[in-house]
Amino acid sequence: MPWADHHCHLPVGNAATELIADARSAGVDVLINIGTDVEDSRRAISVAEAHDGVWATAGVHPHEASSGLDGLAALLSGHNDVVAVGETGLDYHYDHSPRPVQRRVFAAQVELANQRGLPLVVHSRSAWDDTFAVLDREGVPSRTVMHCFTGGPDEAEECLRRNAMLSFSGIVTFPNADDVRDAARACPLKRLLVETDSPYLAPVPHRGRKNRPALVPVVGAAVAAAKGLDVSEVEAATWGTTRAFYGLDGEAGSDGPA
């Protein structure tokens, strides 16, 4: 059973081709290439259209919220390879965009996901209360994932209560990430995804180098260790759940994966 990297940021051109080939050689055959603003989403789509096994999202990251949403709705309608809205959300750690603007742009993308019946990819950093408030007010899409989950068991419980998935990145390998490992341990396997968020957050023992989709098995192994499972169980579960969550087999229903 192959792996799926449910969240990565691929470059364009030959660099993307090399990273995708590298991922294939590591047994990673599903890659979700994430858009972070309208122009970046266009680039993500172009890579997905050029490569089998790669799909794209279209969204505006909280860092880029000030750039607005013009053109986003058209991207969500006009491309078969676009499988989700995002990444979007709130980031109060850096505050690259004003918080009221972040909340407004996030809410608009939640609305788009609900209107289009698309999955929603959420980034939340140092902003859990407001993230939950926006989702509760707008209505949590039936397929929602908290990408690069950085909370602990309490935040995980709140996400799961809203029927959201949790996605774990290389952070789960970091020595000081006990809360994240506790959250992975508490998360049911059927509600869990794995990702690289490459080129960021390379897992141990690859810290200090650019991350890449080929390293998602390292993340999966750390999740398996935290949960006391065989790595093959996490591999099989997350591959199937990623495909179901994004509707890659054309079978994702309104309730998302089982």
Side-chain angles (χ1 to χ4, degrees):
M1 183 68 67
W3 287 96
D5 184 355
H6 115 85
H7 192 112
C8 60
H9 301 271
L10 294 171
V12 296
N14 290 337
T17 301
E18 292 172 5
L19 285 170
I20 293 164
D22 182 43
R24 296 281 184 270
S25 68
V28 183
D29 80 342
V30 170
L31 293 87
I32 309 297
N33 193 23
I34 304 296
T36 57
D37 60 28
V38 174
E39 188 55 39
D40 185 63
S41 296
R42 291 192 182 100
R43 289 191 290 269
I45 294 166
S46 72
V47 174
E49 290 177 336
H51 297 277
D52 291 339
V54 181
W55 290 265
T57 73
V60 177
H61 189 287
H63 290 348
E64 312 300 331
S66 295
S67 69
L69 297 168
D70 288 349
L72 180 62
L75 292 181
L76 295 169
S77 300
H79 301 273
N80 291 334
D81 291 305
V82 176
V83 293
V85 178
E87 68 184 280
T88 180
L90 303 175
D91 193 311
Y92 292 175
H93 180 78
Y94 287 109
D95 283 323
H96 287 329
S97 291
R99 293 183 182 185
V101 176
Q102 290 188 47
R103 291 191 290 270
R104 183 171 67 252
V105 169
F106 178 30
Q109 290 175 88
V110 177
E111 182 180 10
L112 277 171
N114 280 320
Q115 288 175 346
R116 307 297 177 89
L118 287 169
L120 180 72
V121 180
V122 179
H123 170 112
S124 182
R125 187 170 186 187
S126 303
W128 285 110
D129 288 346
D130 279 0
T131 298
F132 293 139
V134 171
L135 288 169
D136 292 345
R137 184 175 66 250
E138 300 298 327
V140 184
S142 60
R143 289 178 286 158
T144 295
V145 61
M146 300 297 185
H147 117 84
C148 193
F149 184 81
T150 56
D154 291 343
E155 291 80 13
E157 182 179 359
E158 288 298 311
C159 294
L160 294 169
R161 187 169 66 81
R162 291 167 171 83
N163 202 35
M165 309 286 287
L166 304 183
S167 178
F168 293 90
S169 69
I171 291 173
V172 76
T173 71
F174 294 3
N176 61 349
D178 288 337
D179 278 357
V180 174
R181 284 185 287 275
D182 288 343
R185 191 173 297 115
C187 182
L189 186 55
K190 65 181 181 179
R191 305 283 294 281
L192 185 150
L193 300 172
V194 290
E195 64 174 271
T196 59
D197 200 17
S198 60
Y200 316 107
L201 300 174
V204 174
H206 302 274
R207 298 295 294 146
R209 285 170 274 176
K210 276 190 175 182
N211 201 1
R212 60 192 198 278
L215 295 181
V216 78
V218 179
V219 177
V223 169
K227 295 184 72 63
L229 298 174
D230 189 86
V231 174
S232 63
E233 293 181 72
V234 174
E235 180 181 15
T238 55
W239 183 83
T241 302
T242 299
R243 295 191 67 89
F245 181 84
Y246 288 108
L248 304 186
D249 300 312
E251 298 176 352
S254 60
D255 293 329

